[in-house]
Amino acid sequence: MKKSELILCFIILFTAGCKFHQYQRKLVEINQHSVENVSRFALYDLNGDSRDEIILLQEPETGIGEITIRDDNFQIFSQLNNKAEINQISYYDLDSDGDQDIFVSGVRETGEIFLYRVNYEWKKELLRSDKPLFEVQSRNNLPAGVRCYSSFGMKGMADIDDDGALDLFVLGSAGFSCYPRGLWVIDAKTSIEKWHYEFASNYRSLHYTDIDGDGEKEFIITTQALKNHQNVVNQMDDNHSYLLIIDKNGKTLLREEMVRGYSLIDCFLEDVDEDGEPEIITVKTTWGNQHERNGISAYKWENGRLILVKEKQIEIPFTRNSRVICEDIDNDGKREILLVTDEHELLMFNNQLEIIRRYSETGLAKICRVADLDGDGEQEVLGVSIDGNLVILDKYLNCKLVYEERDVSSAKIEIYNPGFGEKKQVMIYEAGKFRFYECCNVGFWQMIYWKLFLLVIILLTIIVFVIRYIQLANYREINSYLFDTLTSAVLVVNRKNRILFANRQMEELCGKGKLDNQNLENVGKFAHILRAEYNQYLNSGVTEYQNKLIVPFIEQHLEINICRLKEKAGLYMIKISDRTDMMQMKEKADWAETARGLSHGIRKHLNNILLASEQIAVCEDKRVKTLSPIVMEEINDLKYFVQSFQRFTELKKLHLQLLDTNELIKQYLEAKLTEFPDRIRFTSEIEHDLPWLKIDKIRFAEVLDNLLNNALEAIEEEGKIILKAYRWEENSNVVKFCLEISDTGCGIPAEFLKNIFVPYFTTKASGTGIGLPLVKKMMNEFEGSVEAESKSEVGTTIRLVFPAYTKGKV
C-alpha cells in the first residue's frame, strides 16, 4: 500500500471514529449544601431566565412551616412562614407577566383545606393573599388538630366556559376516611366555585383536551383504588379504579370501571393509529390478592362510547413504587412509555403498545426522571437499582453508568437546570444534605478526537505487528520444521546470551520446555556448561569451535559445536550432539568381549577342577574325601558369579511391554512369599489403580529378587520387610511410580553406602558385588532410577522410580 493510500485510510478511520465513538460516563459531585427538616422541595424556573430556582418547604419542630426560594448557591432571596400544614406548592403564570405565581395548599389545625395564591415581587419577601382562592371543610370525622392526610393543589388553569376569565383546576385526594376527594373548578378572579365533582377514590391523572373532536374540551381523569372506605360517590366506590370523562360543566360523559381491588390507572394521550386524533392510553397496575392482569390499553372516544383500539396484557405485574413515564425518548416525534415490573425489569413500549426494549442488568426499583444529562442532545433515563445505586441509561436502555458510591434508595432525586448552555445536574437530597452531580465523559483530556486519534494509531500499529508476527511465525515454522528433523540439539543465541530459537531436541535435552527468549543462563541442567563453552568460543576468536565433554552428574557424553551465522551478524548457532548411546554401546561391547573371554577361561579351568573333584570324591582316603563338598560349593559360587557377570555385561535387547503394575506385583508376591522363612514378617502397602509400567517382565522379577534376597540376608534373626508401591509427583508435575523395599536388618555403614552400586564392591564374605549394580543397570534400561537409604543396626530402604504410563498410551 502506498503512503498516500495509507494516509487516506487513516483520515477516513479517524473521522468515522470521531463521529461514532461514545465515551464512558461518570458522575462527579460538584456541590453540596446542608439544610435540615426539608419535607418537600421542587426545582422550577420562576422568572423565565432558563435557570431553575430551588423551592424548599421546611417543617421544624416549632410547628411553623417555612417556604424559601433559593438560588444555585442556596442563598435565600424570598421566604414565607405559615402555621398551617402545607402539602402542595404549585406554579402557574396567572396574570401572564412572564413570572410564575406560587400557589400554596394545605390543611389548617381546625380542619379547613385551603388554597392561597402567594403575592411577591422578584427576590423580595413572599406575601400571602388575605383571602384564600379555595377553602373547604374536610369531612373526616376526626378531632381538630389531627392530621387528615389530605392533599389539595392546583393542577392547571383555562377559560373553560369562554367568559374571558381564567378558571383554576383544583384536585384533591385524601387518605383513609378523609374526604372530600374530587375536582373543583374556581374562578381565578372572584375565587367563586363554579362546580365540583367528587370521587370515591383518589385521583391519579388529569388531562384537559378535546378528545372527541367536537370543538369542546373535556376533562379526562383516572383514579386509584386503595380500598380504605366503602362510600359510594357519583356511582363510584373505592374498591375499583375508574376512567372518567367530564364536560366543561361537570357533567359525566363517561364512567368506566377499569379494574377492581387495589389498583391504579395512569393515563396518557397519544395518536396510536396515526389518524391525527389522540387516543387515551391507560396503564393498569394492580397489587394485592386479586388476579387482575396488568397491561396497557389504547381507547378511542367516539359518539359517547369508549372503543378499545389496542391492548397489551403483561404476565408480570407492574410495580406501584415507580412512576410511569410517557415521553419521546428517541426524538422520533412519537412518545414511548417506560415502566418497571415487580421483577425489577424496565420495559419500553412504543406508541403501538409493543415492547421494543428491556433493561434488567442491574435490576431497577424505580425510574425517576428523563432528561439530557450530558448535553449531547439525546435523552437519558435516570433510575434507582434494587441495590440503591443510581443508574443512567441511554435512549436504547443501554447502561451508561452505575453510581455505586452512595445508597440513594431512600433519597429524593430531581434534575436541576443551571441555565442556558450548561449541562443539567442530578440533585439528590438525603439525610439533610443536597448534593449536585454532573455527568462527565471519561477519556483522554475529555476530548473524543484525541482519544480516537490514539485508538486509530494503536489499531494500525496492531495491524502492522500482526502482519509482521504472521510472517515471523511462518518463517519460524519453516525453520522449526527443518531443525526438528535433525538428530542434534540446536539453538541460536545473540551476543547478549538471549536465545532466539531452539529446536525440539534442545528443549528435550535441557528438560526446560520452551527456550525461546530465555537467557542462556536459564536452560536448566546445562546452563553452566553452555555458558562456559559459549564464552570460551567468543574469547577464542575462531569462527568455528568444537569440544567433547562428559557431563558428570548425568554421565552424558556431549559434543558441542559453535559457529557464527554469516548471514545474521551477531548471531551464533550452538549444536549439541549426544554421543552417550554410542559411548555406552562401545562400553557394553568392550564389557561383553571381556565377559566372553573371562567366561571361556574360567569355564576351562572349572572343567579341570570339576574332573579332579570327581576323582577326590571316590578316593579311599577319608581325610581327602571330606574336602570334596567344600570344593564343589566353591565351584558353584564361581559358576553363579560367571553367570551374573555375563548378565551384567550382555547386549541382549530387552523385551519391553506395557504392563498393569497392580497385577504384576500381585503375581510376583504370590510366588515369592512362599520362599520367605517364618522368622521374617512381610507386609505390603500398595495403592490401588497404580500407573502402568513399560518394562521387561523377567528382568523386573530379577530386580525384585535381588532386592528381597539382600533384605533377607541382612536380617540375621527375626525381622521385618516392607514393600510399598505408590504414585509420586515431582516438582515438574510429572507423575511417576515408586516401589520401596525396606528391611530391619543390619544396615550399611555410611562409608560404604556410596559404593554399593559399583560393580564387584561387596561387604559380604560370599558376595559377588554384582547384584545391586545389575539392579541399577536394569533400571537404566527401564529409563528409571534407584536410590538407597541405610543406617547401621536400623535397616535399609531401596527406592525404585519408574516412568508412569496410562493404559494404551506410550
Side-chain angles (χ1 to χ4, degrees):
M1 183 180 289
K2 298 179 181 179
K3 290 184 178 179
S4 58
E5 295 175 344
L6 184 62
I7 294 173
L8 180 61
C9 292
F10 171 76
I11 294 173
I12 294 173
L13 287 173
F14 178 71
T15 305
C18 292
K19 182 176 181 181
F20 296 111
H21 179 74
Q22 294 293 329
Y23 274 104
Q24 183 182 0
R25 270 77 170 179
K26 67 176 180 178
L27 275 186
V28 178
E29 184 175 328
I30 59 175
N31 207 348
Q32 68 169 274
H33 301 277
S34 297
V35 184
E36 298 294 337
N37 304 314
V38 175
S39 59
R40 289 179 180 84
F41 71 89
L43 307 176
Y44 207 89
D45 180 13
L46 294 175
N47 62 343
D49 63 352
S50 79
R51 180 189 297 270
D52 284 345
E53 280 71 47
I54 304 166
I55 300 96
L56 303 183
L57 171 61
Q58 296 172 260
E59 295 181 303
E61 295 180 358
T62 58
I64 299 176
E66 300 174 358
I67 300 175
T68 58
I69 303 178
R70 304 173 184 238
D71 58 20
D72 54 353
N73 293 318
F74 264 69
Q75 297 298 314
I76 299 174
F77 60 79
S78 199
Q79 181 171 343
L80 173 68
N81 297 337
N82 198 315
K83 289 186 177 181
E85 178 186 332
I86 307 298
N87 54 44
Q88 280 198 35
I89 304 175
S90 309
Y91 318 93
Y92 293 95
D93 186 5
L94 187 61
D95 48 14
S96 301
D97 61 354
D99 290 342
Q100 299 293 318
D101 299 295
I102 301 175
F103 297 87
V104 179
S105 57
V107 183
R108 296 193 181 97
E109 292 183 355
T110 55
E112 292 90 355
I113 300 168
F114 64 87
L115 173 67
Y116 276 102
R117 178 187 178 190
V118 177
N119 298 316
Y120 77 102
E121 293 183 16
W122 186 243
K123 291 196 175 182
K124 291 185 179 180
E125 183 180 1
L126 295 173
L127 296 175
R128 188 181 63 193
S129 301
D130 294 333
K131 183 179 180 182
L133 291 172
F134 172 82
E135 188 171 40
V136 63
Q137 183 69 35
S138 175
R139 303 194 303 272
N140 51 33
N141 299 320
L142 296 176
V146 176
R147 185 169 182 169
C148 66
Y149 301 99
S150 294
S151 177
F152 278 71
M154 278 274 293
K155 293 300 177 183
M157 60 184 185
D159 183 6
I160 66 171
D161 51 8
D162 300 322
D163 63 353
L166 287 176
D167 302 303
L168 307 181
F169 311 152
V170 180
L171 274 172
S173 62
F176 300 103
S177 62
C178 305
Y179 279 89
R181 300 167 173 170
L183 170 66
W184 280 260
V185 176
I186 304 168
D187 189 296
K189 286 187 177 181
T190 63
S191 301
I192 297 174
E193 177 186 313
K194 292 188 175 181
W195 56 265
H196 75 271
Y197 191 101
E198 290 195 18
F199 317 137
S201 52
N202 284 328
Y203 76 90
R204 179 67 180 182
S205 60
L206 168 69
H207 296 276
Y208 182 60
T209 186
D210 182 8
I211 191 63
D212 54 4
D214 62 354
E216 298 287 342
K217 292 185 177 182
E218 293 82 26
F219 292 95
I220 304 171
I221 302 171
T222 59
T223 68
Q224 56 181 343
L226 304 177
K227 297 178 65 175
N228 53 31
H229 206 278
Q230 296 299 322
N231 286 355
V232 176
V233 180
N234 285 327
Q235 302 180 28
M236 295 180 291
D237 59 26
D238 193 23
N239 290 337
H240 295 80
S241 292
Y242 293 88
L243 171 66
L244 299 171
I245 299 180
I246 305 170
D247 70 7
K248 64 180 182 179
N249 298 313
K251 178 183 176 182
T252 303
L253 301 179
L254 173 74
R255 183 188 302 108
E256 186 77 16
E257 178 185 299
M258 304 298 292
V259 64
R260 64 184 177 86
Y262 292 108
S263 58
L264 59 88
I265 306 296
D266 287 289
C267 179
F268 308 98
L269 301 179
E270 183 71 12
D271 187 4
V272 175
D273 54 9
E274 300 181 356
D275 62 352
E277 298 293 335
E279 280 74 44
I280 302 171
I281 297 178
T282 61
V283 179
K284 303 173 185 178
T285 302
T286 66
W287 63 94
N289 297 325
Q290 71 270 13
H291 299 288
E292 297 277 350
R293 294 179 98 183
N294 291 224
I296 304 179
S297 305
Y299 299 95
K300 184 175 288 290
W301 171 252
E302 289 182 352
N303 301 322
R305 296 176 56 195
L306 199 62
I307 301 172
L308 179 64
V309 178
K310 287 187 178 181
E311 185 175 33
K312 180 75 172 180
Q313 291 188 332
I314 307 297
E315 294 290 340
I316 303 169
F318 304 147
T319 178
R320 62 189 176 110
N321 299 320
S322 174
R323 66 173 62 191
V324 179
I325 293 177
C326 182
E327 290 196 29
D328 184 7
I329 306 295
D330 51 10
N331 298 322
D332 63 350
K334 300 174 183 178
R335 294 195 296 174
E336 289 76 35
I337 298 175
L338 297 175
L339 52 83
V340 179
T341 70
D342 271 350
E343 293 186 355
H344 309 296
E345 182 179 31
L346 175 60
L347 303 179
M348 178 186 286
F349 296 81
N350 62 11
N351 69 338
Q352 300 299 311
L353 311 188
E354 297 295 331
I355 298 176
I356 56 174
R357 294 183 185 93
R358 297 172 180 264
Y359 176 78
S360 59
E361 181 180 339
T362 57
L364 289 184
K366 61 182 177 180
I367 49 177
C368 304
R369 292 287 185 271
V370 172
D372 180 10
L373 294 176
D374 50 12
D376 62 354
E378 296 185 352
Q379 302 272 53
E380 284 82 36
V381 180
L382 190 66
V384 178
S385 73
I386 55 177
D387 297 325
N389 301 322
L390 195 65
V391 180
I392 298 179
L393 311 175
D394 65 12
K395 63 181 180 180
Y396 303 110
L397 300 192
N398 297 318
C399 185
K400 299 181 77 169
L401 70 87
V402 177
Y403 184 71
E404 300 177 334
E405 297 181 19
R406 194 176 306 281
D407 186 347
V408 297
S409 55
S410 59
K412 298 179 181 178
I413 303 172
E414 290 291 345
I415 303 298
Y416 175 70
N417 186 3
F420 181 77
E422 298 185 41
K423 290 194 295 186
K424 293 180 180 178
Q425 301 167 10
V426 179
M427 188 172 82
I428 300 176
Y429 177 71
E430 184 182 26
K433 283 189 180 294
F434 284 92
R435 291 182 171 87
F436 292 80
Y437 297 87
E438 191 172 273
C439 187
C440 301
N441 292 330
V442 180
F444 295 101
W445 309 292
Q446 306 297 331
M447 294 179 63
I448 192 168
Y449 294 99
W450 282 108
K451 184 173 182 181
L452 262 296
F453 176 78
L454 294 179
L455 287 176
V456 173
I457 291 295
I458 293 171
L459 178 63
L460 292 176
T461 305
I462 291 173
I463 291 173
V464 172
F465 273 104
V466 168
I467 294 173
R468 183 60 178 164
Y469 174 80
I470 293 173
Q471 292 174 344
L472 290 176
N474 292 335
Y475 175 75
R476 291 173 63 86
E477 185 176 355
I478 295 172
N479 285 345
S480 177
Y481 174 77
L482 293 175
F483 280 106
D484 284 348
T485 58
L486 302 176
T487 58
S488 300
V490 177
L491 62 80
V492 177
V493 64
N494 60 17
R495 280 192 174 272
K496 295 182 179 180
N497 295 344
R498 177 69 60 181
I499 298 174
L500 304 181
F501 171 79
N503 68 348
R504 176 175 51 82
Q505 289 79 2
M506 178 63 76
E507 292 171 350
E508 292 177 354
L509 184 67
C510 295
K512 188 69 175 177
K514 288 292 183 182
L515 296 177
D516 292 0
N517 295 320
Q518 295 285 329
N519 195 282
L520 198 58
E521 299 179 355
N522 300 325
V523 293
K525 54 189 177 184
F526 291 103
H528 67 286
I529 296 175
L530 286 176
R531 186 173 65 253
E533 295 293 321
Y534 181 58
N535 290 336
Q536 185 173 344
Y537 162 71
L538 293 177
N539 295 330
S540 66
V542 299
T543 56
E544 294 188 6
Y545 174 86
Q546 184 181 46
N547 190 20
K548 296 181 181 179
L549 66 155
I550 300 176
V551 184
F553 52 85
I554 54 175
E555 299 181 1
Q556 272 188 299
H557 296 259
L558 302 180
E559 181 180 286
I560 298 181
N561 291 273
I562 306 177
C563 66
R564 183 193 302 271
L565 295 178
K566 296 180 181 180
E567 68 276 12
K568 297 287 184 180
L571 300 182
Y572 304 87
M573 183 176 71
I574 303 175
K575 184 180 74 172
I576 302 178
S577 301
D578 190 353
R579 307 298 186 188
T580 305
D581 292 341
M582 184 183 298
M583 298 301 294
Q584 288 179 347
M585 290 297 294
K586 184 177 182 303
E587 184 180 354
K588 288 180 180 179
D590 292 343
W591 274 103
E593 186 63 29
T594 302
R596 282 194 293 272
L598 181 61
S599 299
H600 177 74
I602 292 176
R603 283 198 184 97
K604 178 181 177 182
H605 296 294
L606 281 178
N607 289 334
N608 294 333
I609 296 172
L610 187 59
L611 292 173
S613 65
E614 290 175 354
Q615 295 295 324
I616 293 173
V618 298
C619 180
E620 296 297 332
D621 189 342
K622 292 183 179 180
R623 190 181 59 179
V624 176
K625 193 173 183 178
T626 57
L627 297 175
S628 178
I630 299 173
V631 173
M632 292 300 294
E633 183 178 355
E634 294 296 325
I635 291 172
N636 289 333
D637 289 343
L638 189 56
K639 286 172 67 177
Y640 175 74
F641 170 77
V642 171
Q643 292 170 355
S644 299
F645 183 73
Q646 279 186 307
R647 286 200 306 275
F648 181 71
T649 57
E650 68 185 358
L651 293 174
K652 181 179 178 181
K653 187 173 180 64
L654 300 182
H655 178 57
L656 300 180
Q657 55 182 327
L658 203 60
L659 298 173
D660 184 345
T661 309
N662 289 93
E663 187 64 26
L664 184 67
I665 296 175
K666 177 182 176 183
Q667 292 176 0
Y668 174 80
L669 292 180
E670 286 177 354
K672 185 68 177 177
L673 291 180
T674 58
E675 303 176 7
F676 275 44
D678 294 337
R679 63 185 177 85
I680 302 298
R681 289 183 293 110
F682 179 83
T683 59
S684 61
E685 300 175 8
I686 303 172
E687 291 183 356
H688 296 291
D689 195 22
L690 291 172
W692 287 45
L693 299 181
K694 188 180 180 183
I695 56 176
D696 184 304
K697 185 175 181 180
I698 297 176
R699 295 302 193 191
F700 179 75
E702 288 184 13
V703 169
L704 296 185
D705 283 342
N706 268 302
L707 297 180
L708 289 174
N709 290 338
N710 284 350
L712 288 170
E713 291 175 3
I715 302 173
E716 297 178 355
E717 296 179 358
E718 292 184 351
K720 185 178 181 180
I721 296 176
I722 303 173
L723 184 143
K724 295 181 180 180
Y726 55 91
R727 289 173 176 265
W728 178 55
E729 186 172 319
E730 291 184 304
N731 294 332
S732 58
N733 295 325
V734 177
V735 177
K736 294 195 174 184
F737 166 68
C738 289
L739 190 146
E740 292 183 4
I741 296 178
S742 304
D743 63 63
T744 57
C746 59
I748 303 172
E751 63 270 21
F752 296 148
L753 189 60
K754 61 181 179 180
N755 296 320
I756 61 174
F757 295 112
V758 177
Y760 313 121
F761 176 82
T762 181
T763 59
K764 295 183 288 187
S766 60
T768 63
I770 296 297
L772 287 179
L774 183 61
V775 169
K776 183 178 180 182
K777 182 175 182 295
M778 288 299 101
M779 291 303 297
N780 289 338
E781 296 290 342
F782 298 155
E783 298 182 357
S785 61
V786 58
E787 304 169 0
E789 297 177 3
S790 186
K791 191 172 183 181
S792 294
E793 307 304 327
V794 175
T796 302
T797 297
I798 304 295
R799 183 181 299 107
L800 308 177
V801 182
F802 297 83
Y805 295 90
T806 304
K807 181 181 180 181
K809 295 182 181 180
V810 180

